[in-house]
Amino acid sequence: MNKPKRYWLMKSEPEDFSIDDLERVGTEPWTGVRNYQARNFMRDSMQVGDQVFFYHSNTKVPGIYGIAQVASTPYPDPTQFDRKSKYYDPKATEEEPRWMLVDVGFVRKLRKPIPLSLIRTRSEQLGEDFHLVRKGARLSVMPVTASQWKILLSLEGKPA
DNA sequence: GCCAACGTTGGC
DNA sequence: GCCAACGTTGGC
């Protein structure tokens, strides 16, 4: 029997890594997550083929810009061992890595981005458990339910 | 184990 | 650039 497909939302600052960058490279290890909750989602719950909303944060128009998919099983984030990386973690060792990640693969860019401002207008529909529009939401990797996925996708191409 | 101080996230 | 919200750190 097929496992039901899972959905996620992953944030990235486009100056750092954008959906266009992902389109160019095809697949990218999702390095630099240093939040335990976000790590746990990647380590414990993601499966190859899961669908991902690619969200641009810290930018002029924050919002969902594209769709990606989980492209690997979890493995240790190599940047935690790299002294020269800004993500270096002195407490992590090869034997006991702290930070796990998955590879993310390009699926498509949205015809038109779905701005956060538009997403907020659907807060009620999306429900309490939608992390993105919670006050002070800082989680960079979060689950999205099938119904939330549908609602959000239906906003593609809608005027903001 | 508490909690103040600090650093970071991320919208505006 | 500002600053609220939040997670983490470290002194006690």
Side-chain angles (χ1 to χ4, degrees), chain A residues 20-111:
Chain A
D20 293 305
D21 295 325
L22 184 61
E23 182 172 30
R24 199 171 314 121
V25 298
T27 302
E28 179 77 3
W30 205 257
T31 55
V33 169
R34 292 297 179 267
N35 169 283
Y36 289 106
Q37 210 183 341
R39 177 206 64 184
N40 292 349
F41 286 133
M42 291 197 284
R43 187 190 61 186
D44 305 332
S45 306
M46 284 193 179
Q47 294 171 348
V48 173
D50 285 358
Q51 299 296 108
V52 178
F53 279 133
F54 197 111
Y55 182 91
H56 284 184
S57 66
N58 230 335
T59 187
K60 196 165 179 191
V61 182
I64 298 168
Y65 280 71
I67 294 176
Q69 63 184 347
V70 176
S72 79
T73 50
Y75 63 95
D77 180 342
T79 64
Q80 70 192 305
F81 309 125
D82 178 3
R83 286 174 178 283
K84 296 197 191 73
S85 168
K86 65 171 171 172
Y87 300 122
Y88 175 64
D89 184 344
K91 296 197 183 125
T93 63
E94 308 261 356
E95 296 73 36
E96 282 189 79
R98 258 197 191 192
W99 305 108
M100 304 290 280
L101 53 66
V102 296
D103 290 345
V104 166
F106 180 80
V107 174
R108 70 178 178 91
K109 294 210 290 188
L110 294 193
R111 280 177 275 120

